[in-house]
Amino acid sequence: MAFHTPGGGEVQLLAYKKHLSSHGVEVSLFDPWNPCFMDYDAVHFFSCIGGSSHFCRFIKQLGLPLFVSSSLWMTEETKHLYPADEIRIQLELADCVVTNSDLESQMLSRVLSLPLDKFETVYNGVDDIFFQTVPPELFRNNFDIQEKFVLNVGNIEPRKNQLALIRAMKHFPDMKLVLIGHKRDVAYADQCIAVGGGQVIYVGPIDHYSPLLRSAYSACELFCLPSTLETPGLAALEAYASGCSIAVTAIGSAKEYFFDNVNYVDPDDDASIVKAIIEIIEVREMPDRLVTPAKNPDFLNWNSVTQPLKNIYRSRIKK
């Protein structure tokens, strides 16, 4: 179901496939009609959604090493919101759980009572194209948007918390809010558009590799991702690499990536979002202020961050 409304997790999966080959790891996507499990040395599974443990248990019954990318931020306070027992069983089955940060590894180890040495961190990356500037006019002219705007890129759903951002934007009536992404939760998306009224411009999904997306990053005043949690959010990484000023949720592992170089928001506090936007606008209006914090192609590009995976696979595959 994931590729019906693809998001960061699907970008990560395809990036692993694309870049692992350059490190000498042959990767094939799972084909349910022709699985050929025994032709491979290991299986890497991406998800902790309900039902995942059944597939993972089958892989272990075949005797194959299993790697699971969790991309999960679950605390003691939020544990009740997840099928925690099933997730623990799934991660117990794994020979290795691949997380997006040391913070995620430590959190899951503690909350699910799993040994920390079961976890390995592989940071999320950014495609090299996001270090290439695309003129803002391409996006503005294509969608006829000439006003200043705040940008949010992500599937529209409660976890991405666009509704709180829309409420916060009421404090900035002279700016628009541009939403890019699939309607993963249609009722929620329709509510967002209704509450936002004429201030919200929903342009739908844009292909991840389209220059229109990079142009949107160039055109916006700032990028805001006030999700209820992120680990840390590929769109935020790409916006940062593109030179955007960004405000991102403090819930999750974003601080392990951005340190003190961005504004953090409390997703449960609209005033926190308003404050972050004000601070970014004030900084942008300062003379001679550089607002390109990450114009460095060595910043977490996918080819470099996937390199450790080869050794992670090798260390857990018993010949």
Side-chain angles (χ1 to χ4, degrees), residues 51 55 88 251 284:
F55 181 89
R88 181 178 54 77
I251 308 301
R284 287 184 65 90

Side-chain angles (χ1 to χ4, degrees), residues 162-183:
Q162 286 97 345
L163 197 55
L165 177 55
I166 289 167
R167 292 194 299 265
M169 286 298 299
K170 301 295 185 183
H171 294 264
F172 308 95
D174 295 333
M175 284 202 297
K176 299 290 187 181
L177 171 62
V178 173
L179 303 179
I180 297 176
H182 293 275
K183 292 183 177 182

Side-chain angles (χ1 to χ4, degrees), residues 266-309:
D266 178 351
D268 295 322
D269 183 3
D270 294 359
S272 170
I273 302 172
V274 172
K275 180 174 180 288
I277 294 173
I278 291 173
E279 289 177 352
I280 290 174
I281 291 172
E282 288 178 346
V283 168
R284 287 184 65 90
E285 292 175 349
M286 292 171 60
D288 302 320
R289 169 69 180 179
L290 292 176
V291 196
T292 53
K295 283 293 184 183
N296 177 0
D298 292 328
F299 170 75
L300 296 178
N301 68 75
W302 278 118
N303 197 57
S304 64
V305 300
T306 54
Q307 188 170 5
L309 271 168

Side-chain angles (χ1 to χ4, degrees), residues 146-199:
Q146 303 309 321
E147 303 93 336
K148 291 182 177 182
F149 67 90
V150 172
L151 178 65
N152 175 274
V153 178
N155 286 318
I156 304 180
E157 58 181 327
R159 184 174 73 81
K160 294 295 184 179
N161 205 27
Q162 286 97 345
L163 197 55
L165 177 55
I166 289 167
R167 292 194 299 265
M169 286 298 299
K170 301 295 185 183
H171 294 264
F172 308 95
D174 295 333
M175 284 202 297
K176 299 290 187 181
L177 171 62
V178 173
L179 303 179
I180 297 176
H182 293 275
K183 292 183 177 182
R184 180 166 281 178
D185 185 320
V186 175
Y188 179 80
D190 290 344
Q191 181 186 10
C192 286
I193 293 168
V195 172
Q199 191 177 20

